[in-house]
Amino acid sequence: MLSTAGPAASHSLIVASKPFANLNHNIPRFLGFRQFSPDCSCSGSVSFGWNSGSKRKFNRSRMEGFAVRASAQPLKNADELIDSVETFIFDCDGVIWKGDKLIDGVPETLDMLRSKGKRLVFVTNNSTKSRKQYGKKFETLGLNVTEEEIFASSFAAAAYLKSIDFPKEKKIYVIGEEGILKELELAGYQYLGGPDDGGKKIELKPGFLMEHDEDVGAVVVGFDRYFNYYKVQYGTLCIRENPGCLFIATNRDAVTHLTDAQEWAGGGSMVGALCGSTQREPLVVGKPSTFMMDYLANKFGIQKSQICMVGDRLDTDILFGQNGGCKTLLVLSGVTSLSTLQSPKNTIQPDFYTNKISDFLSLKAATV
């Protein structure tokens, strides 16, 4: 076991901003805090980092001044939307596939967009696979997608830790599956937990004290089919008792598509358990956090106004696009129904909506 390098205080997370007296008003939405004031008057940037002398800054001005959008319009002229953007970012579950079943018309649609010179990027909140593993899934479904075009929240967790110069001598406790472990390993980080802790049980005897690794500097929580009480307690101890320990969530999705037959409890249920036990809110790296959007824009040199986000969820995909300043297209092939979109209770309105992405083909033909 490695010993902690330096005093514990030197590994605390720094947030260089205004005081925390008005936490919900001063922290940008990409940190995952659900309460956020759209008329926030704060300005400047917020910087994150471990005490290593290196901090990364994120501009939060784009997180301010959100206005209620006009009702979404049905997509009628596909060519007009296609010609107006350079890059299409697609969610995967509910847009490209459901479970392990490809949605009709996807291969032809992607081929058409590539033929028109469009950059395609695939972003998923599902952290169970690494980018390489997702590449194999695309291949199995007959889709030609490179690893460089895939951004999963498992990768986002590792990328975020690198962006704040998380110390390599610290460890990461993972409540999640193999995808997170593989991405952390590729990034050069030490980890424990994951599927290996899925079979562990706690025998509650009088006076029993559960030990935990004091070198854990971050707990990463994602979707976990092997979730159990051992993991809840271990993660809780690390977050509450290890000085400066980060609480990172890959996403807070309420439901997910494990099969095409029904919706299943999503990663948000695992994250919620840790929120309850630690009384802490996580830093969210997946959608609708803007971390992945910022990463993509910087990596490819894309202007966000030249991006169209295509997804099936209002509170993750569409909000992700809106938070990033992109055009947005909702498809009704996944979670969101037309009645949900048009409900008076719904305040998230995409620019356009359509049934599925293959409508790009039929609507294109209709305008010729």
Side-chain angles (χ1 to χ4, degrees), residues 15 17-29 31-37 40 42 46 48 60 279-282:
V15 180
S17 183
K18 295 188 177 182
F20 279 82
N22 295 313
L23 180 66
N24 290 333
H25 297 277
N26 290 346
I27 298 298
R29 190 188 301 271
L31 287 186
F33 291 98
R34 292 194 163 185
Q35 296 182 19
F36 179 82
S37 173
C40 170
C42 53
V46 58
F48 300 86
R60 69 179 162 196
Q279 294 297 289
R280 290 258 305 269
E281 286 292 304

Side-chain angles (χ1 to χ4, degrees), residues 269-300:
S269 58
M270 292 82 190
V271 175
L274 270 292
C275 289
S277 61
T278 63
Q279 294 297 289
R280 290 258 305 269
E281 286 292 304
L283 188 152
V284 183
V285 294
K287 298 174 292 186
S289 150
T290 61
F291 174 75
M292 283 202 288
M293 185 69 75
D294 293 340
Y295 187 95
L296 288 168
N298 292 332
K299 177 179 175 62
F300 294 118

Side-chain angles (χ1 to χ4, degrees), residues 76-140:
K76 294 180 179 178
N77 189 332
D79 275 341
E80 185 176 350
L81 176 59
I82 293 170
D83 293 341
S84 71
V85 298
E86 173 192 345
T87 299
F88 283 90
I89 298 180
F90 292 100
D91 177 48
C92 295
D93 298 325
V95 178
I96 304 300
W97 59 64
K98 269 193 173 183
D100 290 321
K101 184 179 180 181
L102 195 65
I103 293 174
D104 292 342
V106 166
E108 297 84 355
T109 305
L110 300 184
D111 288 345
M112 180 273 291
L113 293 173
R114 290 190 193 279
S115 73
K116 295 179 74 69
K118 305 302 175 182
R119 178 186 286 109
L120 306 184
V121 179
F122 302 87
V123 175
T124 175
N125 267 357
N126 191 326
S127 63
T128 60
K129 294 181 175 64
S130 64
R131 289 186 299 168
K132 186 173 183 178
Q133 289 172 315
Y134 269 112
K136 291 180 179 178
K137 178 167 183 173
F138 277 102
E139 183 180 353
T140 299

Side-chain angles (χ1 to χ4, degrees), residues 343-363:
S343 168
K345 297 180 180 179
N346 172 41
T347 59
I348 303 173
Q349 293 290 329
D351 294 312
F352 304 100
Y353 69 89
T354 194
N355 289 320
K356 53 187 181 298
I357 66 169
S358 60
D359 289 345
F360 273 143
L361 300 173
S362 59
L363 293 172

Side-chain angles (χ1 to χ4, degrees), residues 1-11 169-171 213-217 242-243:
M1 178 183 298
L2 292 175
S3 61
T4 305
S10 68
H11 295 299
E169 67 269 18
K170 301 294 285 186
K171 299 176 185 177
D213 193 328
E214 295 181 357
D215 288 337
V216 171
N242 290 2

